[in-house]
């Protein structure tokens, strides 16, 4: 890239506060253009430090100002590369003088924006740290102090890395910044000799700190701070990565998590540093939304202010631009805390820089766009003031001058001669920053709640004994939260019922700080939890055991339309690919499913979808889970036993999943079909014969779906629809499957085949299985024997599974299973490939098995029954008793079915069941004879 020269990019200039100093500073540059002379004069008249650098580096500066500042910077950094250790200290100090002068002038002249200024300073720090480490490690290797290392290993610093933390890690170093480093080494590189290596790296770290920090006649490079390392009071200045990882896993605190947002390998073995940071991802970026970090950050702000006595109204004299009220740290805390809250779920939020972090948060809806834009402007303005404070005398200060004259100097340094206006603008910016930050961090005061009945008061007073309120911190948050919860309860259809359900929810919570913080930061969740508690206590109980699913509600897309199977499968597959460990992949899948499952239920409960859309959504989830997990299970199995012998296998869904319609409590009916293609054995560490290979692969898949893990289970799986049922092998070859269906299968198995659908596996085999399905349906279609068998099976089913009551939607004559049985019969007789009930009944009409009026009666009954069944499974795990549901649940079912009230729904249900039963009995008797 080609850059314009320095002078052509000038857009502003400081004004000399000390005109004599300004004139003296520019006296040796009479050959420069008026614009450059004005810049140098204004700079020298405000900054004794920069005036001294201009005079000391005059020859170099004149050349640097004749080219682009990017070119001048690159030449300074490149000149450091060949320096040996004995010349490095002097060379780095010269480079620091020149880069400080160049960046100062580029900043003051508006040639570079803030990010370029801080980026140049950070680039010099990186180069200084990297070269120091490598030269010092090379010396340790030469002296034989790093076991097993050769001269070539110095290029990776023998496995040692310096992590740049804070502003250095973000590439945001301020003008006179120190550099915060954490020095680590790769213990695995040294085996049993790691302690000897550690001693060498401790020497390297101390020497590096001296090389960079010691003040000599040539100045210093960077003050170096090593205190951010784990347990700095007792640990050496360089520790192993294994020790650091163990510390963070066991003892890491919120402020350390925040510090690692900006962490970056800056010198030495950069690849080893990157691996270490990847290992820390679970520590820094929690998988759940972490609103408790808000209180941690607020407490930290207050401790800093207490320690430095920075409370009270803003007075510009002596005000700390970094840590004081409305200062830079407020904006950084604001950004980092919100990144910690949501960055575990969204990697796009993990930007190291403050401006980049705010922009990402705004793009994802975590910060209003106008607030983010406001804070970015405030941050840049604050940083410019900070730089000018430090440029005056190269002091590591953030304090405004104590005198009015000193503040006037800073105003002139910023190019502003109207000092009163400068003061007013600066104070307004500090107050605006404080208002934005304080509103986010400071917890509100506990309010008075509504009046409660004696019964309700007794329930509420019992909450203090629940596990979620054991800690003082949880109690304090909940004390502020409780009035809002109780007020929301007053709006429920039946407040007393909703209170009892909320009581059950709170009683089941194992801990409270995270969830209560989540509610406090997102009041919309209070309305949702009360809505759920007042409508479906079963879902409230589920939430108490799986409160993390609430993260999804505020995660961005919870209320958007349903994405469909393909995006769901791709999303889960991507999430699984990011996790290296097999068991963690299974837990990831469970966490993913719980959140999406909860979303379907909430959308259904809120009336955003109906029972049929919810049924399709639940089926989409199951299909995505099976299809995304199948290759993961196959890969893990292949790792132990070798790749699949032959073509591979497919997972065939049966029943409701095959038809693409599930309810909130459905299990999965699956069959695994394989084609070994004549291959007898797998080839792997522990090879298996083809038949046991696929049998054990099937068992592995079932375990992946059903095993109870830290995040629960995915689904219950039923494989009884496989050939020969429980007596048959768990996996069937495609040849055996076809032969069984053609020669041995019962009519009920052919009926089940009408809804079979491949979800995952080898594509060509999937196509073959579908061809077999259609061949079987064509071969077994027609004839009265099918109807006679169906009639007999229907009679047995009604004896074995009679309706449990008047509200039963699934079992019994004229109900869901009965209608589905007739629909499958119609499809089998017509040899039609349709899977869903609606299409199967239409196939019956086309073939003449059903009349249009039959279809209408059956569809009307089916649609009403499905709405009742889907609603029931969302509301309760028990059989439906409308009177025991509570007002919220009854209102949901009445709304879902379009009835005026419970009495009308009851009457419609009875009439629909009776009409459907009559049609079914007539068709089976008329077409196949009475088998009873």
């Amino acid at each position: 890239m080609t850059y314009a020269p320095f002078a052509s990019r000038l857009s502003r200039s400081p004004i000399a506060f000390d005109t004599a100093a300004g004139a003296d500073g520019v006296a040796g540059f009479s050959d420069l253009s008026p614009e450059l002379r004005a810049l140098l004069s204004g700079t020298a008249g405000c900054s004794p430090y920069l005036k001294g650098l201009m005079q000391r580096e005059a020859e170099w500066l004149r050349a640097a100002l004749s080219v682009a500042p990017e070119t001048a910077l690159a030449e300074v950094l490149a000149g450091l590369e060949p320096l040996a250790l004995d010349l490095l200290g002097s060379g780095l100090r010269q480079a620091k003088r020149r880069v400080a002068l160049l960046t100062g002038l580029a900043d003051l002249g508006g040639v570079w924006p803030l990010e370029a200024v801080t980026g140049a300073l950070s680039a010099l720090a990186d180069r200084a740290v990297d070269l120091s480490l490598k030269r010092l490690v090379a010396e340790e290797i030469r002296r034989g102090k790093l076991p097993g290392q050769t001269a070539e290993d110095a290029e990776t610093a023998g496995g040692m890395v310096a992590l740049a933390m804070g502003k250095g890690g973000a590439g945001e170093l301020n003008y006179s910044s120190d550099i915060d480093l954490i020095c680590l080494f790769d213990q695995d590189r040294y085996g049993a000799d790691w302690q000897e290596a550690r001693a060498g790296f401790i020497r390297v770290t101390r020497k590096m700190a001296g090389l960079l920090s010691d003040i000599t006649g040539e100045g210093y490079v960077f003050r170096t701070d090593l205190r951010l390392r784990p347990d700095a009071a007792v640990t050496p200045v360089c520790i192993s990565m294994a020790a650091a990882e163990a510390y963070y896993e066991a003892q890491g605190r919120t402020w350390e998590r925040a510090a690692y947002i900006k962490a970056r390998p800056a010198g030495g073995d950069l690849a080893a540093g990157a691996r270490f940071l990847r290992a820390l991802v679970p520590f820094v970026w929690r998988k759940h939304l972490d609103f408790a970090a808000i209180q941690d950050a607020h407490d930290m702000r207050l401790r800093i202010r207490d320690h430095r006595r920075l409370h009270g109204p803003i007075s510009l004299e002596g005000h700390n631009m970094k840590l004081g009220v409305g200062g830079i740290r407020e904006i950084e805390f604001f950004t980092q805390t919100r990144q910690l809250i949501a960055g575990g779920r969204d990697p796009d939020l993990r930007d190291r820089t403050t401006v980049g972090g705010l922009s990402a948060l705004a793009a994802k809806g975590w910060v209003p766009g106008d607030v983010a834009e406001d804070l970015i402007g405030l941050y840049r303005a604050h940083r410019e003031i900070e730089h000018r404070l430090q440029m005056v005398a190269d002091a590591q200060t953030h304090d405004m001058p104590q005198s009015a004259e000193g503040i006037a100097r800073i105003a002139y340094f910023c190019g502003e001669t109207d000092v009163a206006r400068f003061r007013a603008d600066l104070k307004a910016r500090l107050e605006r920053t404080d208002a934005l930050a304080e509103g986010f961090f400071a917890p509100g005061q506990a309010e008075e709640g509504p009046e409660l009945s004696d019964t309700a008061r007794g329930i509420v007073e019992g909450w203090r004994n629940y596990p979620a309120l054991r800690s003082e911190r949880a109690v304090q948050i909940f004390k502020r939260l409780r009035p809002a919860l109780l007020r929301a309860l007053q709006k429920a259809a039946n407040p007393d019922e909703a209170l009892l359900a909320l009581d059950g929810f709170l009683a089941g919570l194992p801990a409270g700080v995270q969830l209560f913080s989540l509610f406090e930061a997102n009041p919309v969740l209070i309305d949702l939890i009360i809505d759920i508690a007042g409508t479906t206590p079963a879902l409230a109980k589920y939430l108490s055991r799986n409160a993390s699913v609430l993260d999804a509600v505020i995660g961005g897309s919870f209320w958007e339309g349903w994405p469909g199977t393909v995006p769901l499968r791709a999303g889960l597959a991507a999430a699984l690919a990011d996790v290296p460990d097999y068991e963690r992949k299974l837990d990831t899948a469970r966490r993913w499913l719980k959140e999406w499952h909860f979303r379907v239920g909430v959308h259904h409960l809120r009336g955003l979808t109906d029972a049929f859309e919810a049924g399709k959504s639940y089926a989409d989830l199951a299909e995505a889970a099976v299809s995304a997990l199948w290759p993961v299970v196959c890969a893990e199995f292949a790792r132990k036993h070798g790749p699949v012998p032959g073509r591979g296998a497919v997972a065939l869904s049966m029943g409701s999943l095959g038809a693409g319609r599930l309810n909130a409590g459905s299990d999965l009916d699956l069959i695994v079909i394989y084609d070994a293609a004549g291959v007898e054995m797998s080839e792997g560490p522990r090879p298996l014969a083809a038949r046991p290979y696929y049998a054990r692969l099937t068992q592995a898949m079932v375990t992946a779906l059903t095993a109870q893990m830290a995040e629960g289970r995915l689904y219950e799986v039923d494989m009884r629809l496989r050939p020969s049922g429980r007596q048959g092998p768990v996996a069937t070859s495609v040849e055996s499957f076809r032969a069984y269906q053609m020669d041995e299968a019962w009519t009920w198995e052919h009926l089940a085949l009408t809804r079979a659908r491949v979800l995952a596996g080898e594509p060509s085999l999937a196509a073959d299985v579908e061809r077999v399905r259609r061949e079987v349906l064509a071969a077994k279609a027609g004839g009265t024997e099918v109807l006679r068998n169906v009639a007999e099976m229907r009679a047995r089913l009604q004896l074995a599974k009679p309706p449990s009551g008047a509200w039963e939607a699934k079992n019994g004559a004229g109900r869901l299973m009965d209608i589905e049985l007739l629909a499958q019969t119609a499809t089998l007789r017509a040899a039609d490939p349709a899977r869903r009930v609606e299409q199967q009944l239409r196939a019956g009409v086309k073939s003449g098995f059903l009349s249009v009026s039959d279809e209408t009666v059956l569809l009307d009954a089916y649609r009403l029954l499905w709405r009742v069944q889907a609603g029931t499974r969302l509301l309760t795990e028990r059989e439906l008793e409308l009177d025991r549901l509570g007002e919220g649940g009854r209102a949901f079912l009445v709304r879902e079915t379009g009835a005026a009230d419970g009495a009308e729904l009851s009457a419609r249900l009875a009439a629909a069941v009776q009409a459907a039963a009559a049609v079914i009995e007539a068709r089976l008797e008329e077409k196949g004879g009475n088998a009873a």
Side-chain angles (χ1 to χ4, degrees), residues 263-520:
R264 177 177 57 84
D269 192 339
L270 302 185
R275 287 196 300 273
F276 173 75
L277 292 181
R278 283 196 296 273
L280 281 199
V281 164
F283 163 67
V284 180
W285 304 108
R286 301 287 168 83
K287 61 187 176 183
H288 302 309
L289 295 176
D290 187 14
F291 280 92
I294 297 174
Q295 185 70 45
D296 289 337
H298 178 61
D299 293 343
M300 196 185 310
R301 292 168 69 234
L302 296 183
R303 285 196 299 272
I304 290 171
R305 290 187 185 178
D306 288 342
H307 178 66
R308 294 181 176 259
R309 299 178 181 176
L310 298 174
H311 290 287
I314 295 172
S315 173
L316 291 188
E317 277 75 10
H319 189 78
N320 190 301
M321 289 298 300
K322 178 180 179 181
L323 302 176
V325 175
I328 294 166
R329 183 55 55 84
E330 303 276 66
I331 302 172
E332 292 173 338
F333 271 17
F334 180 99
T335 307
Q336 291 167 21
T337 304
R338 287 187 174 267
Q339 287 177 296
L340 286 179
I341 288 169
R345 296 170 57 85
D346 188 350
D348 290 345
L349 300 178
R350 301 175 189 176
D351 195 293
R352 290 186 177 99
T353 68
T354 302
V355 171
L358 281 167
S359 299
L361 288 164
K364 294 302 182 80
W366 285 98
V367 175
D370 58 336
V371 172
E373 186 176 345
D374 203 354
L375 286 171
I376 288 170
L378 292 165
Y379 175 76
R380 286 180 168 144
H382 285 1
R383 290 296 306 269
E384 286 200 356
I385 297 291
E386 176 190 48
H387 282 181
R388 278 138 190 78
L389 292 172
Q390 296 174 348
M391 285 178 189
V392 172
D394 189 28
Q396 190 187 10
T397 182
H398 307 279
D399 293 339
M400 293 292 292
Q402 293 286 354
S403 67
E405 181 183 359
I407 291 179
R409 177 185 289 269
I410 300 302
Y412 275 62
F413 215 177
C414 293
E416 177 62 82
T417 55
D418 188 338
V419 178
R421 182 168 64 186
F422 172 82
R423 292 177 67 103
D425 290 347
L426 175 55
K427 188 173 183 182
R429 290 196 298 270
L430 291 167
E431 289 170 344
R432 174 61 177 158
T433 303
D434 179 52
L436 290 171
E438 197 69 18
F440 171 60
F441 284 112
Q445 299 300 311
E447 303 172 12
E448 291 296 322
E451 288 293 321
L452 301 175
S453 67
D454 290 342
T455 302
R457 190 178 300 108
I459 293 171
V460 171
E461 288 176 356
W463 291 348
R464 70 185 66 174
N465 299 316
Y466 289 161
L469 289 159
R470 283 182 185 141
S471 74
E472 179 61 27
R473 184 172 177 187
V475 169
Q476 290 303 316
I477 300 170
F478 190 72
K479 185 178 179 181
R480 300 190 298 266
L481 189 64
R482 189 174 70 177
L485 282 169
L486 295 176
R487 280 196 300 272
L489 282 170
Q490 306 302 307
K491 304 173 188 175
N494 187 318
D496 290 338
E497 289 177 354
L499 176 59
L500 286 171
L502 179 63
D503 180 60
F505 168 75
L506 293 172
L509 287 175
V513 170
Q514 283 287 349
L515 186 64
F516 297 157
S517 299
L518 180 70
F519 283 163
E520 188 174 35

Side-chain angles (χ1 to χ4, degrees), residues 806 808-809 812-815 818 861 864-865 908-918 920:
E808 171 70 65
R815 291 171 170 82
D818 209 22
L864 178 61
L865 287 160
R908 282 179 52 195
L909 193 61
V913 167
Q914 184 178 7
I920 294 168

Side-chain angles (χ1 to χ4, degrees), residues 686-702:
R686 286 175 280 169
L688 293 170
R691 184 170 177 177
Y693 183 102
Y694 285 108
R696 290 177 59 180
L697 174 61
T698 302
Q699 290 165 341
M701 182 65 184
V702 171

Side-chain angles (χ1 to χ4, degrees), residues 48 89 139 267 281 288 343 517 595 602 618-619 650 680 702 707 714 748 770 792 806 873:
E139 179 63 13
V281 164
H288 302 309
S517 299
E595 292 183 359
V602 170
Y618 286 128
V650 295
E680 295 183 357
V702 171
L714 284 169
W748 70 264
E770 176 61 16
E792 291 173 355
R873 292 284 72 82

Side-chain angles (χ1 to χ4, degrees), residues 561-572:
W562 188 248
T565 309
V566 173
L568 285 170
R569 181 169 55 238
L572 177 55

Side-chain angles (χ1 to χ4, degrees), residues 149-163:
Q149 303 300 292
T150 64
E152 289 74 23
D153 292 309
E155 277 308 301
T156 56
M160 180 182 176
V161 65
L163 300 179

